[in-house]
């Protein structure tokens, strides 16, 4: 008799325990769903003081955006979530080997930013440009109406036709330029080309032979890696179409060693509420670079091709390049209002 009572008691406790656990799970799920619906901050500035963006909801729904990029979402899902393909409101126009990919990926940490995953080369490629603005729009990711779409194509900065073409699309667009110390950038440019040649078992000249004209022993301005690093020459062409206030200069060297302050300056320039924090950035000692933390489960590091080891370059050539770039750098500082501690000898 006592044994039967014990069995019945255990059964009752089991049923009550199951009900309690079920109720608790329902409450947690309900509170979580309500929390995701709460708007957390307004987007101010160019998007209007009245408009609000539910940043937590945007983070939560990034899975849907992934489906859209992969073509897995239905038209009904797109309609219900009010998602569209917008022309970019900001473009990273350069500079090649300045850190454009790192900058784009880091800005993508912000829930109000969506990025084009590939370099589209619409404005610098005549064949693509001839396809028209709707072709360009369809290359953009799906986004919510109050998100900013950003693309990056570093060839834009040095291509003559691009400023006028972008101006015709949007004369008030915001333009981001990320720069590094010019000599370091030129060597990095050379290193990328060299690696490509080596993969194809092709030979390539040493950097010194390309950067210095053998007949004059002066800096070879016909060498593209050198020309690209004369930032002020390219920027002056852009200023014929856009005021300097529409440009923001990012320190690519500092983005490597201390990314958060640079990203906070970009947030301010784009009129975004501050959302990127030190939590989103962690230093990977193995790779020697900062990696990205989107949430508790999703981290991302840049591709292994980033941060290539540069070949050793003759110090006399490096010094000659420093002296060559110095007057151009001084003018660049004056135009942009931002100074850098770049060597001049």
């Amino acid at each position: 008799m006592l044994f039967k009572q014990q069995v019945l008691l255990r059964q009752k406790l089991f049923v009550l325990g199951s009900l309690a656990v079920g109720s608790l799970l329902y409450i947690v799920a309900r509170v979580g769903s309500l929390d995701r619906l709460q708007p957390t901050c307004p987007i101010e500035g160019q998007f209007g003081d009245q408009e609000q963006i539910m940043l937590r909801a945007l983070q939560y729904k990034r899975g849907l955006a992934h489906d859209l990029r992969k073509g897995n979402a239905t038209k009904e899902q797109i309609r219900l979530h009010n998602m569209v393909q917008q022309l970019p409101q900001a473009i990273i126009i350069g500079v090649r080997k300045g850190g454009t990919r790192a900058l784009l990926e880091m800005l993508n940490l912000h829930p109000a930013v969506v990025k084009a995953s590939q370099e589209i080369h619409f404005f610098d490629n005549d064949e693509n440009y001839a396809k028209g603005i709707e072709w360009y729009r369809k290359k953009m990711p799906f986004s919510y109406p109050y998100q900013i779409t950003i693309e990056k194509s570093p060839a834009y900065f040095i291509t003559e036709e691009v400023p006028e073409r972008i101006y015709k699309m949007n004369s008030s667009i915001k333009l981001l330029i990320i720069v590094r110390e010019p000599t370091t950038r030129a060597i990095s440019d050379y290193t990328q080309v060299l690696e490509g040649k080596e993969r194809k078992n092709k030979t390539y000249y040493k950097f010194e032979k390309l950067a210095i004209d053998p007949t004059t022993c002066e800096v070879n301005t016909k060498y593209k890696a050198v020309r690209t690093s004369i930032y002020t020459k390219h920027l002056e062409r852009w200023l014929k179409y856009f005021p300097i206030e529409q440009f923001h200069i990012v320190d690519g060297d500092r983005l490597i060693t201390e990314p958060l302050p640079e990203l906070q300056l970009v947030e301010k320039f784009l009129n975004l509420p501050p959302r990127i924090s030190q939590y989103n950035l962690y230093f990977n000692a193995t790779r020697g670079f900062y990696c990205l933390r989107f949430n508790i489960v999703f981290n991302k590091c840049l591709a292994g091709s980033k941060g290539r080891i540069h070949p050793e370059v003759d110090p006399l050539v490096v010094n000659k390049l420093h002296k060559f770039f110095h007057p151009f750098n001084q003018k660049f500082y004056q135009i942009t209002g931002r100074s850098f501690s770049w060597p001049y000898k």
Side-chain angles (χ1 to χ4, degrees):
M1 185 68 176
L2 181 60
F3 174 78
K4 287 183 179 180
Q5 288 178 339
Q6 288 176 337
V7 170
L8 287 171
L9 182 59
R10 285 175 187 158
Q11 289 175 340
K12 288 179 181 178
L13 289 173
F14 176 80
V15 171
L16 289 171
S18 299
L19 288 171
V21 170
S23 300
L24 181 60
L25 290 173
Y26 172 80
I27 291 168
V28 169
R30 181 62 177 166
V31 170
S33 64
L34 288 172
D35 180 63
R36 287 193 298 268
L37 295 175
Q38 297 302 312
T40 59
C41 77
I43 295 289
E44 297 178 351
Q46 69 182 81
F47 301 100
D49 293 337
Q50 292 79 23
E51 304 294 355
Q52 289 195 340
I53 185 167
M54 293 183 289
L55 294 177
R56 290 186 192 173
L58 293 176
Q59 288 176 311
Y60 179 70
K61 293 176 181 177
R62 272 186 170 170
L64 174 61
H66 175 77
D67 287 341
L68 289 166
R69 288 195 298 272
K70 297 296 183 181
N72 298 329
T74 66
K75 290 183 179 180
E76 184 65 14
Q77 283 178 305
I78 296 170
R79 186 185 66 79
L80 287 173
H81 289 277
N82 197 28
M83 299 186 80
V84 292
Q85 286 172 293
Q86 303 183 81
L87 290 172
Q89 296 96 321
I91 300 178
I92 301 171
I93 59 174
V95 176
R96 172 181 160 89
K97 306 313 299 173
T100 57
R101 172 57 59 183
L103 176 60
L104 184 67
E105 296 294 341
M106 288 178 178
L107 289 178
N108 194 48
L109 287 164
H110 199 293
V113 170
V114 292
K115 66 178 178 69
S117 57
Q118 302 295 326
E119 293 179 10
I120 300 170
H121 291 283
F122 177 65
F123 296 103
D124 66 308
N125 183 298
D126 290 340
E127 185 178 339
N128 287 342
Y129 190 67
K131 293 174 183 177
I133 202 72
E134 283 307 308
W135 178 88
Y136 182 53
R137 187 197 301 273
K138 289 178 182 177
K139 293 293 181 181
M140 295 298 140
F142 281 88
S143 61
Y144 297 97
Y146 304 115
Q147 285 181 300
I148 295 179
T149 299
I150 300 179
E151 77 122 322
K152 73 103 176 174
S153 293
Y156 290 168
F157 186 59
I158 63 171
T159 306
E160 289 188 11
E161 300 82 2
V162 171
E164 182 179 5
R165 289 175 174 179
I166 292 181
Y167 180 85
K168 287 178 178 178
M169 178 192 73
N170 181 358
S171 61
S172 61
I173 195 164
K174 301 214 170 186
L175 303 165
L176 294 161
I177 305 172
I178 180 167
V179 295
R180 295 191 68 192
E181 190 279 310
T183 301
T184 302
R185 195 222 63 82
I187 295 171
S188 180
D189 199 331
Y190 166 83
T191 304
Q192 178 170 308
V193 176
L194 175 65
E195 185 179 280
K197 297 285 186 182
E198 289 177 342
R199 280 200 304 266
K200 298 175 182 177
N201 293 318
K202 293 183 178 181
T203 57
Y204 198 48
Y205 294 112
K206 291 187 69 175
F207 176 79
E208 292 87 340
K209 191 169 183 179
L210 294 168
I212 304 298
D213 187 328
T215 59
T216 64
C217 292
E218 297 299 327
V219 172
N220 179 15
T221 56
K222 294 181 180 179
Y223 179 38
K224 188 176 181 180
V226 169
R227 288 202 316 274
T228 300
S229 285
I230 307 175
Y231 303 139
T232 185
K233 290 289 187 183
H234 306 293
L235 182 59
E236 284 172 344
R237 184 172 58 252
W238 283 84
L239 290 173
K240 293 176 183 177
Y241 295 91
F242 300 96
I244 193 63
E245 291 78 18
Q246 284 178 231
F247 296 86
H248 178 74
I249 309 301
V250 179
D251 185 341
D253 293 308
R254 191 184 184 200
L255 192 73
I256 295 171
T257 60
E258 197 179 0
L260 185 58
E262 286 298 315
L263 295 172
Q264 289 172 334
L265 289 173
V266 178
E267 284 180 322
K268 186 176 181 180
F269 172 70
L270 296 176
N271 295 321
L272 292 171
R275 285 295 176 272
I276 302 174
S277 69
Q278 197 60 57
Y279 168 81
N280 300 118
L281 303 159
Y282 66 96
F283 187 75
N284 186 314
T286 303
R287 305 191 62 164
F289 283 93
Y290 277 87
C291 293
L292 317 179
R293 181 185 291 116
F294 287 84
N295 53 46
I296 197 169
V297 294
F298 180 51
N299 299 341
K300 181 177 183 178
C301 289
L302 296 179
S305 61
K306 303 300 177 184
R308 297 177 180 89
I309 297 175
H310 293 177
E312 288 189 18
V313 177
D314 185 334
L316 293 176
V317 171
V318 171
N319 289 339
K320 185 181 283 285
L321 286 167
H322 285 164
K323 290 179 182 178
F324 169 79
F325 286 124
H326 179 63
F328 298 111
N329 295 342
Q330 292 299 114
K331 192 170 184 180
F332 184 71
Y333 302 161
Q334 183 181 2
I335 292 172
T336 63
R338 182 159 195 186
S339 299
F340 300 91
S341 301
W342 293 338
Y344 57 91
K345 61 182 180 178

